Amino acid sequence: MSSVQHRPPISGRHVLRLALIAVALAGLAGGLAAQFLGEADWAAPLWTAGTVPVLAALLVEIVSSLRRGELGLDIVAALSMTVALIFGEALAAAVVALMYAGGQALEAFAERRATRSMTALLERMPRTAMRYVDGRLETVQIDAVVPGDRLLVRRGEMVPVDGTVESGVAVLDLSAITGETLPARVGPGGSVLSGATNAGDVFDLTASLRAADSTYAAIVAMIEAAQRSKAAMSRLADRFAMVFLAATIALAGGAWFWTGEPTRGLAVLVVATPCPLILAVPVAIVCGIARAARVGILVKGGRALETLSRVRTVVLDKTGTLTHGTARLVGSDAAAGWSGEDVLRLAASLDQASSHVTAQALVAAAHEKGLRLSVPSAVIESPGEGLAGEVDGRAVVVGGPTFVGRRSGAEIGRSGSPEPGASRVAVAVDGSWAGTLIFADALRSEAVRLLAALRSIGIRRIVVASGDRREVVKAVTAGLPVDLAVGELTPEDKLAAVKAERNHGPVMMVGDGVNDAPALAAADLGVALGARGAAASAQAADVVILVDELDRLLPAITIARNARHIALQSVWAGLLMSGGGMIAAAFGYLTPVQGALIQEVIDVIVILNALRALKGDETTSQAGAVRQLSPTGTRLPDSE
């Protein structure tokens, strides 16, 4: 994933909201200035001029919402401005207009983070292919490829269409499609999926499907369909709309009817204008989003943050999520007279000449141990099998046990069966077996503690859904506090698994590969590990963890719950204070202007309370919540 975050373009709607704030502020300030300068006749027209554009935009928005079958608290603001203008209370109308316009801008700011295009995913899709035509190669548009065409797939390229290997050996990185960490070796006649990356030498491919019908295109289509079908959550404030709207109209109408004074009804409407809801909720949400960003968690908007606070079921991918997603040295078996470090140093020295994924992992392991590598010579690589060459004047062969035994003539020692999903790399030196190095996609060190911590904060169900082999998934999840672990899932299977888990409550899906993207898009909340994961998963997800640390899930949930709690607290406090003001206005104790000013005071109180969502020490919360748990999940005493 690119480290550069592209900001979404500023829309005309955003510019309009800023313009409305400017107009409302100018009208209110101009009218007050006119009164102060003794030009009172200009005050009401200026206040009206600042109110009418906001009211017009609000009425258009209300009509659009009603057409969609939505009813929000914006109607109260429209009623208060309209009635105030009708009865000559232009100052009260101007105050309400400014409050409403400011609230809309704040809410829009929070929601702008929710829009993310699928640009990165679409850019990864191949546009062209190398096709054989009359014994020569030509570059053609991928849409021109038809079943039966023979294509050349070069090293590092993504397989453009589903097909079969015609000649050569395909060494494929399938992690983005199936979740398998170790490269797959496919010989002539073997099937290859589009979206896999050629990690070995060039090979010829016979297309079996058109690009539009192939695996990668199907994944893209599923992401789009899942995003369209996801039920949109209503704004938190709108959930109070029906009851509050009915109570407001009843009280305002009752005050007017019983007293015969329309200004009493207007005063009720002005005080009732739900700016504690319109303002406090976006402020708390934006603060929660900003707080999450401090610890490398990108939350794409207020709806995502609210959903994050309510999740009760977590579905986790295995490869790259519970595990590191790359093969790592997990053990070694050295022959007599050899040490594990000596075997690793010679093997890594030779593997510097190879770009194979396992070779790179072997070199990385040597560097981690601080071993000094030598420069190899006379290197011969057999794609997908191993290497032979000289290191420090000694003949070294590295690769699969069968290849090393055949190439060196050595009898390879049996080091026992490695764990499922592990890979054995044999090493022979000067015609004798020196040792075997074992590589596997290891479980993240924080995984056990994180899962136990998730249980402690109320996550009721944890599921592991992986595209890797069943026996590998079973081995990796053994001993983990999970309710269900399944393997060999296609992207369609993961999508179905997420939908099935909705029976247990709001579902959070966590993944990092292209094969996870449809499930991420369909879940109530998708979380992508974006540091090294596929761009497709980051685009489809609602939350992106920008650092390669799975335990950031815990502070993310904690921050979201805190922000939602503060938002609700602000809402209820605002409603209670507004309710008291409405009753006072109904009995004639408040004029419309006084009601508007009191409402401003209430706004300041609830906004200051909402700003508390910005406070907190994320480092402490993360360490306290995850690292204070022992590996068995028992909470340890605080260090204080």
Side-chain angles (χ1 to χ4, degrees):
M1 177 181 177
S2 171
S3 60
V4 179
Q5 297 295 321
H6 299 284
R7 294 182 180 180
I10 297 177
S11 64
R13 190 183 182 91
H14 180 64
V15 173
L16 176 62
R17 287 192 175 107
L18 294 178
L20 290 176
I21 292 177
V23 169
L25 182 60
L28 179 61
L32 292 173
Q35 277 203 329
F36 179 76
L37 296 174
E39 300 290 340
D41 292 342
W42 285 96
L46 287 171
W47 289 328
T48 301
T51 302
V52 169
V54 178
L55 178 58
L58 175 55
L59 291 174
V60 171
E61 185 67 30
I62 290 173
V63 171
S64 299
S65 298
L66 291 175
R67 286 177 177 174
R68 296 192 301 267
E70 299 173 0
L71 181 64
L73 286 168
D74 298 341
I75 292 178
V76 178
L79 281 174
S80 62
M81 281 186 273
T82 302
V83 174
L85 290 176
I86 291 174
F87 290 102
E89 296 287 349
L91 175 57
V95 173
V96 174
L98 180 60
M99 289 190 296
Y100 176 79
Q104 286 289 292
L106 279 172
E107 186 174 40
F109 176 77
E111 288 298 323
R112 282 194 76 215
R113 290 178 178 255
T115 57
R116 290 293 187 274
S117 68
M118 293 176 61
T119 302
L121 175 62
L122 297 176
E123 285 180 351
R124 186 177 184 269
M125 294 184 69
R127 300 290 187 270
T128 61
M130 298 291 291
R131 182 172 65 183
Y132 287 95
V133 178
D134 297 329
R136 60 184 177 83
L137 285 169
E138 66 176 14
T139 301
V140 298
Q141 293 296 314
I142 191 171
D143 292 337
V145 176
V146 298
D149 281 352
R150 185 169 178 172
L151 309 176
L152 178 73
V153 183
R154 294 171 291 190
R155 179 187 291 268
E157 288 184 339
M158 193 176 81
V159 177
V161 297
D162 291 2
T164 57
V165 177
E166 183 68 23
S167 66
V169 176
V171 180
L172 301 171
D173 178 1
L174 298 172
S175 58
I177 303 299
T178 67
E180 292 189 48
T181 307
L182 301 175
R185 186 171 179 269
V186 182
S191 298
V192 176
L193 300 177
S194 61
T197 302
N198 182 9
D201 292 332
V202 297
F203 66 91
D204 290 345
L205 176 79
T206 299
S208 58
L209 292 174
R210 291 180 177 273
D213 301 323
S214 292
T215 301
Y216 194 76
I219 290 176
V220 174
M222 280 190 292
I223 295 171
E224 294 173 334
Q227 288 178 328
R228 288 194 300 269
S229 66
K230 183 190 291 189
M233 292 178 56
S234 63
R235 292 181 304 173
L236 182 60
D238 287 344
R239 297 177 191 175
F240 299 87
M242 296 297 294
V243 174
F244 189 78
L245 179 59
T248 298
I249 294 176
L251 186 58
W256 185 355
F257 177 79
W258 287 108
T259 64
E261 299 178 18
T263 54
R264 288 202 185 188
L266 173 59
V268 172
L269 288 176
V270 170
V271 176
T273 299
C275 287
L277 306 184
I278 295 174
L279 292 175
V281 173
V283 168
I285 295 300
V286 170
C287 289
I289 291 171
R291 186 177 167 193
R294 293 177 184 171
V295 290
I297 302 165
L298 173 63
V299 181
K300 299 181 181 180
R303 292 178 181 176
L305 192 77
E306 185 185 352
T307 308
L308 180 59
S309 71
R310 299 187 304 110
V311 293
R312 291 296 179 267
T313 298
V314 177
V315 179
L316 296 156
D317 175 46
K318 180 190 73 68
T319 305
T321 304
L322 276 181
T323 64
H324 291 279
T326 57
R328 297 190 173 196
L329 181 66
V330 296
S332 63
D333 182 17
W338 288 92
S339 69
E341 289 194 352
D342 289 338
V343 174
L344 176 60
R345 190 190 73 81
L346 288 173
S349 296
L350 180 62
D351 271 358
Q352 291 177 107
S354 174
S355 60
H356 192 278
V357 176
T358 303
Q360 294 174 353
L362 200 151
V363 173
H367 284 314
E368 288 177 3
K369 292 181 176 294
L371 302 180
R372 185 172 182 177
L373 305 184
S374 302
V375 178
S377 60
V379 179
I380 299 174
E381 181 171 4
S382 298
E385 294 185 305
L387 294 88
E390 293 186 4
V391 177
D392 296 336
R394 310 189 73 170
V396 180
V397 182
V398 179
T402 302
F403 168 79
V404 172
R406 183 178 69 248
R407 186 62 184 255
S408 66
E411 182 178 349
I412 305 302
R414 295 293 178 183
S415 54
S417 299
E419 290 294 324
S423 175
R424 294 195 303 164
V425 177
V427 182
V429 180
D430 294 334
S432 300
W433 174 63
T436 298
L437 304 171
I438 301 173
F439 287 82
D441 185 12
L443 189 70
R444 290 177 183 266
S445 60
E446 71 270 24
V448 177
R449 296 184 178 187
L450 170 67
L451 296 181
L454 289 175
R455 294 286 194 193
S456 72
I457 63 170
I459 300 299
R460 295 192 290 261
R461 186 168 171 82
I462 300 175
V463 175
V464 176
S466 175
D468 211 342
R469 300 192 307 277
R470 290 189 180 93
E471 62 270 20
V472 176
V473 176
K474 182 178 180 180
V476 169
T477 58
L480 295 182
V482 300
D483 299 285
L484 178 66
V486 289
E488 298 182 15
L489 299 183
T490 64
E492 293 93 336
D493 295 333
K494 287 191 176 185
L495 191 61
V498 166
K499 291 180 178 179
E501 290 300 327
R502 282 180 174 161
N503 296 327
H504 302 283
V507 177
M508 176 170 69
M509 169 70 192
V510 187
D512 75 324
V514 174
N515 61 323
D516 300 318
L520 289 169
D524 296 296
L525 185 88
V527 179
L529 293 181
R532 294 186 304 163
S537 63
Q539 295 295 330
D542 304 292
V543 177
V544 180
I545 298 178
L546 300 176
V547 292
D548 192 29
E549 296 179 12
L550 182 62
D551 57 6
R552 297 299 172 98
L553 277 178
L554 199 66
I557 295 174
T558 302
I559 289 168
R561 289 182 176 180
N562 182 62
R564 184 171 185 269
H565 171 74
I566 290 175
L568 286 171
Q569 186 183 74
S570 298
V571 165
W572 284 113
L575 289 179
L576 288 174
M577 289 186 286
S578 294
M582 290 163 60
I583 294 173
F587 282 96
Y589 295 111
L590 295 175
T591 67
V593 173
Q594 290 172 335
L597 294 176
I598 286 177
Q599 186 61 56
E600 286 283 18
V601 174
I602 296 173
D603 292 343
V604 171
I605 293 173
V606 297
I607 289 172
L608 289 176
N609 183 68
L611 287 172
R612 292 191 302 112
L614 192 60
K615 297 180 180 180
D617 185 351
E618 283 72 40
T619 303
T620 301
S621 69
Q622 182 177 333
V626 177
R627 298 193 178 104
Q628 286 183 7
L629 289 176
S630 71
T632 60
T634 305
R635 184 165 294 280
L636 300 177
D638 292 337
S639 57
E640 297 177 344

